[in-house]
Amino acid sequence: MADYVLVTESGSDIHADTARRHGIVVVPMHVSFGNLSRDDDSFPPEELYESYRATGKLPQTSGCSPQDFIDAFDRIHGLYPTAQIVYLAYSAATTISYRSAHLAAEGRDYVTMIDTKSVSSALRLVVTNVARMIEVDPDVTPDELRAFVDDQVARIRFSFIPGDLDYLRAGGRLSNIAFLGATLLRIKPTVEVLDGRLVATTKRRGPMLKCVAQLVEDYCTREPMDLSRVSLTYSVGDEPDRALRAIVEKILVDHGAQEIEWVKSGCVIASHAGPGAFGISALAAK
């Protein structure tokens, strides 16, 4: 019988195989194509890209509803009535999901909610690290589990370069003037999650491969990092670009990285980053 069941959103880019392996319940966020709403991770991001190319309208994304969480909490509690549900939330500053879960958790003393202040591969890394810890120590106490999660949240670092700035412009996250200037100057902004919010921190100029290599080198050296596990995001195709992969993995291995995983983004993340995006997540050293 499970003592803890971990819950998170599909914006973690934890896909079905990983969720099954660790017993993680993934609640779907949503993507709307006009009047049609579809669950995130129920279709590939290429369909989103094709829809935008064909219509000029970027599908809209939304967080989980209270009913999504009510259904998830009820299902888990029915299967494991003595288990503590630990909801590791997609950054509350960026979506309604945390508020929805709060409403769904009212009157449920078996639900613990923690805002990870993370998205995409950073959230994936936090959640799967917690899952691994529970697998190694299934008798961990709630206080020990909370302390472990808090440490992960404090040390997680996430940076990404959008693949196509037009997606940021279409989503209202970049003005037309800024988009035009960045396109003409071949500027690739680096976006980081700082205290749960997406913040553009560095502007790099040149081809994507060059900018990604600079980002990874800077990521590994600007502060002491724990590179025992590194999670990398790509957003198009069945596997990352071979040239990009070779460059990134060489830099990481040169800096002592051990476990390196590549994960394709779901549609919620792809709608922000566009095709060809790159993201990197790891923990800062203790």
Side-chain angles (χ1 to χ4, degrees), residues 33-215:
F33 297 77
N35 294 324
L36 175 64
S37 179
R38 302 174 69 180
D39 287 349
D40 182 30
D41 213 25
S42 67
F43 60 99
E46 284 80 3
E47 289 188 30
L48 182 147
Y49 305 146
E50 180 55 35
S51 175
Y52 183 42
R53 280 194 293 267
T55 67
K57 296 180 180 179
L58 184 65
Q60 300 298 302
T61 62
S62 59
C64 309
S65 70
Q67 192 62 50
D68 291 329
F69 283 107
I70 289 171
D71 293 343
F73 294 160
D74 283 348
R75 184 170 64 253
I76 295 167
H77 192 57
L79 290 170
Y80 307 107
T82 64
Q84 184 72 21
I85 297 173
V86 181
Y87 165 48
L88 300 175
Y90 191 97
S91 176
T94 65
T95 179
I96 64 168
S97 292
Y98 190 80
R99 175 60 179 165
S100 293
H102 180 78
L103 293 172
E106 288 183 356
R108 302 175 190 260
D109 59 3
Y110 53 86
V111 176
T112 298
M113 298 176 46
I114 304 174
D115 178 9
T116 69
K117 301 183 179 181
S118 298
V119 304
S120 188
S121 60
L123 179 54
R124 174 190 172 89
L125 199 61
V126 169
V127 175
T128 54
N129 279 346
V130 174
R132 290 182 180 192
M133 186 271 280
I134 293 172
E135 290 161 9
V136 170
D137 184 10
D139 295 324
V140 62
T141 68
D143 286 345
E144 290 169 338
L145 181 62
R146 180 62 189 248
F148 183 86
V149 174
D150 288 346
D151 175 68
Q152 295 280 303
V153 172
R155 293 195 291 127
I156 193 69
R157 303 289 186 267
F158 174 60
S159 298
F160 79 94
I161 298 178
D164 188 339
L165 292 181
D166 194 32
Y167 280 71
L168 291 179
R169 181 197 60 79
R173 304 174 190 93
L174 185 70
S175 71
N176 286 333
I177 293 175
F179 167 73
L180 179 60
T183 301
L184 290 174
L185 296 174
R186 301 179 71 193
I187 290 173
K188 305 287 194 301
T190 295
V191 179
E192 300 181 52
V193 176
L194 302 177
D195 196 30
R197 299 183 182 277
L198 298 173
V199 179
T201 56
T202 305
K203 295 179 181 178
R204 294 181 168 87
R205 189 173 176 180
M208 188 66 169
L209 281 177
K210 174 186 173 183
C211 292
V212 167
Q214 290 174 346
L215 165 61

